[in-house]
Amino acid sequence: MSVDEEDSVVPSAQVSPGGILGRGYRTVTLGICALIVLSAFEALAVTTVMPTISAALNGAALYALAFAGPLAAGVVGMVAAGNWSDREGPRGPLYASVVLFTAGLAVVGTAPDMAVFLAGRLVEGLGTGALTVALYVVVARAYPPGLHPQIFAAFAACWVVPSLIGPLVAGLIAQTLGWRWVFLGVIVLVAGALAMVVPAMARLRTPGAGADGRGTAERKPVPWELGRLGWSLLAAVAVLALNLLADSKGPLLWAGPAAAAVVVLLALRPLLPRRTLRSGAGLPSVILSRGLASGAFFGADVYIPYLLTVRYGFPPLAAGLSVTASGVCWAGGSWLQSRLAARLSHARSVRFGALLLCLAIAAAGATAAFALVPATAIAGWAVGGFGMGLMYPRTSVATLEYSTVESQGFNSSALSIADSIGASMSLAATAIVFAAFAGLGGAWPFTGCFALTILPALAALALAQRIRRPRPGVTS
């Protein structure tokens, strides 16, 4: 192992013998994982029942916004939770995020029309974004560094069961009890999950606190950064505009989204560590590679089942096998990187993962362009999921490793923001490409989308070497 990579692996001596389910960690681990499972179930369930909701509430015109809205609102929640966590620890942000999430579920589940439903989805997104950041800070404060690869691998595994049975359960609930209970039923379960986390919250100290839980004289209080909240709001509005303008016609189809994308990038600068958009070495490249990987994967992910349905005549359930296989392999890759935490550096995890993602997108593009057997795209996308499992948790581990106690909230929110913005911008860009190539017919729209999404994957591959912590005195 080179000197450069020694600070990019997790020392095995720091790993607790009992792991994340050992004494002192079991209850908080189960509670955190339960919260993630429930939020994952809701995210996947809404995709299943959304056509039914749209028909019941006469909301076809706001269909796309029901998905883009929570993603955009989440950016504001991420910034607020990050700032709050750095000021006072993750306890308050965690409780507030759960309240917002459940309030959004209640509004959505009782909505009389599509406008109220959309308002509830925005509140949901605000809570989900804040919850993601709060949980990252909880991990930083409640678990030793040696357990970070394990807990983030568990986070990935928490999406497997919802991805396997979530759509089926949501469909059954919608057909038997009605679509509203898909949301209302989750509220009770969220309360139970939070109850398991509360005891661990009581043991957490605020940043810089002494043994008595009070602040020390050496630590200056972290101020409220209202300017960053304003920038996050601007970024959220620009993301919504970017997605809405993807359906434009004529010159506005290109000029409108381009202008919105510029606004998003300008608004992002104060929300990310310095030099992130210039791929600075260390933490900036960790954040940027996460956003690029998310954009590549999720931008292509929505078109795999679409390709199988439109070009190969797969029924929806069979077309969804590609997503299921990818989710299972994602969990497998996450498990493997956690087992190799003491031997596999962050840079190598990201490099191998990004390479597999490039191969997966290339396989999907080749399937579309050359009419290869559909198994090529399905198997390829499983490989892509495995690649994401290798690098996704490692960017989370590296972010916490490169953070001070006072910056854990800011950096965790930056990582989540990169995740969200990368995916939403990629989805908007692929929608534009798909619409532009639709007139050519055949496989051109799909080929164009896969050709576009492989670009951020290649960029993430090129950035892998730069995620190492720079040596003291070395600038980049």
Side-chain angles (χ1 to χ4, degrees):
M1 182 185 302
S2 68
V3 174
D4 288 338
E5 292 183 327
E6 285 182 353
D7 64 349
S8 297
V9 298
V10 180
S12 57
Q14 296 182 11
V15 179
S16 170
I20 59 176
L21 293 177
R23 185 176 180 181
Y25 300 112
R26 184 182 298 112
T27 301
V28 66
T29 296
L30 294 176
I32 288 175
C33 288
L35 287 173
I36 294 176
V37 166
L38 293 172
S39 62
F41 171 79
E42 190 279 332
L44 294 166
V46 71
T47 304
T48 302
V49 300
M50 198 59 213
T52 302
I53 297 170
S54 179
L57 300 181
N58 192 26
L62 297 175
Y63 189 93
L65 200 57
F67 292 98
L71 202 61
V75 174
V76 181
M78 293 166 190
V79 172
N83 192 185
W84 192 354
S85 295
D86 285 338
R87 278 179 57 86
E88 302 175 15
R91 186 184 312 151
L94 179 66
Y95 295 159
S97 66
V98 172
V99 170
L100 285 171
F101 180 60
T102 53
L105 289 172
V107 173
V108 166
T110 58
D113 54 48
M114 195 64 176
V116 176
F117 179 87
L118 179 58
R121 290 284 289 159
L122 293 175
V123 176
E124 258 189 271
L126 194 65
T128 302
L131 178 64
T132 301
V133 173
L135 289 179
Y136 273 48
V137 181
V138 168
V139 168
R141 308 282 172 84
Y143 297 85
L147 292 182
H148 290 176
Q150 290 186 35
I151 190 63
F152 285 121
F155 283 9
C158 287
W159 279 82
V160 175
V161 174
S163 67
L164 291 173
I165 67 172
L168 176 61
V169 171
L172 290 175
I173 293 175
Q175 290 178 14
T176 55
L177 300 177
W179 65 264
R180 297 181 185 278
W181 286 102
V182 172
F183 303 97
L184 297 177
V186 174
I187 295 176
V188 177
L189 299 176
V190 169
L194 182 63
M196 289 189 284
V197 180
V198 168
M201 295 299 98
R203 297 195 298 268
L204 294 181
R205 296 197 297 268
T206 57
D212 59 356
R214 298 179 181 178
T216 61
E218 291 78 9
R219 178 182 177 271
K220 295 181 179 180
V222 176
W224 283 111
E225 299 180 354
L226 299 181
R228 291 186 65 244
L229 285 173
W231 284 112
S232 69
L233 183 60
L234 177 61
V237 172
V239 167
L240 288 176
L242 181 62
N243 282 269
L244 290 173
L245 290 169
D247 294 327
S248 303
K249 304 296 182 182
L252 191 61
L253 175 63
W254 301 101
V262 170
V263 173
V264 171
L265 294 176
L266 290 175
L268 275 180
R269 292 190 64 188
L271 307 179
L272 304 175
R274 293 180 58 191
R275 299 182 294 112
T276 295
L277 298 181
R278 290 185 290 151
S279 64
L283 181 62
S285 286
V286 172
I287 302 292
L288 183 58
S289 64
R290 174 70 163 257
L292 291 168
S294 295
F297 182 85
F298 293 109
D301 186 57
V302 298
Y303 290 99
I304 302 291
Y306 196 12
L307 171 69
L308 298 175
T309 300
V310 173
R311 300 293 295 172
Y312 292 92
F314 277 40
L317 181 60
L321 289 176
S322 61
V323 178
T324 300
S326 177
V328 172
C329 289
W330 185 320
S334 298
W335 174 84
L336 181 62
Q337 66 78 33
S338 71
R339 298 288 295 178
L340 299 177
R343 289 178 287 171
L344 187 64
S345 70
H346 301 329
R348 285 175 177 165
S349 292
V350 172
R351 187 186 309 123
F352 293 154
L355 177 60
L356 293 178
L357 181 58
C358 289
L359 294 175
I361 298 175
T367 301
F370 304 111
L372 302 180
V373 293
T376 305
I378 296 173
W381 207 234
V383 171
F386 189 85
M388 287 295 285
L390 285 178
M391 62 177 159
Y392 207 80
R394 277 308 182 89
T395 54
S396 301
V397 174
T399 297
L400 295 183
E401 181 181 315
Y402 297 169
S403 301
T404 63
V405 173
E406 290 78 10
S407 66
Q408 287 168 347
F410 174 83
N411 292 338
S412 295
S413 71
L415 187 69
S416 299
I417 288 168
D419 224 350
S420 179
I421 296 297
S424 60
M425 292 186 70
S426 180
L427 288 169
T430 52
I432 293 171
V433 169
F434 196 91
F437 286 13
L440 299 177
W444 279 103
F446 296 101
T447 305
C449 288
F450 294 132
L452 176 65
T453 53
I454 202 172
L455 298 179
L458 289 170
L461 177 61
L463 276 179
Q465 288 297 109
R466 296 187 61 77
I467 72 171
R468 296 172 179 171
R469 193 200 302 264
R471 293 177 178 177
V474 176
T475 58
S476 58

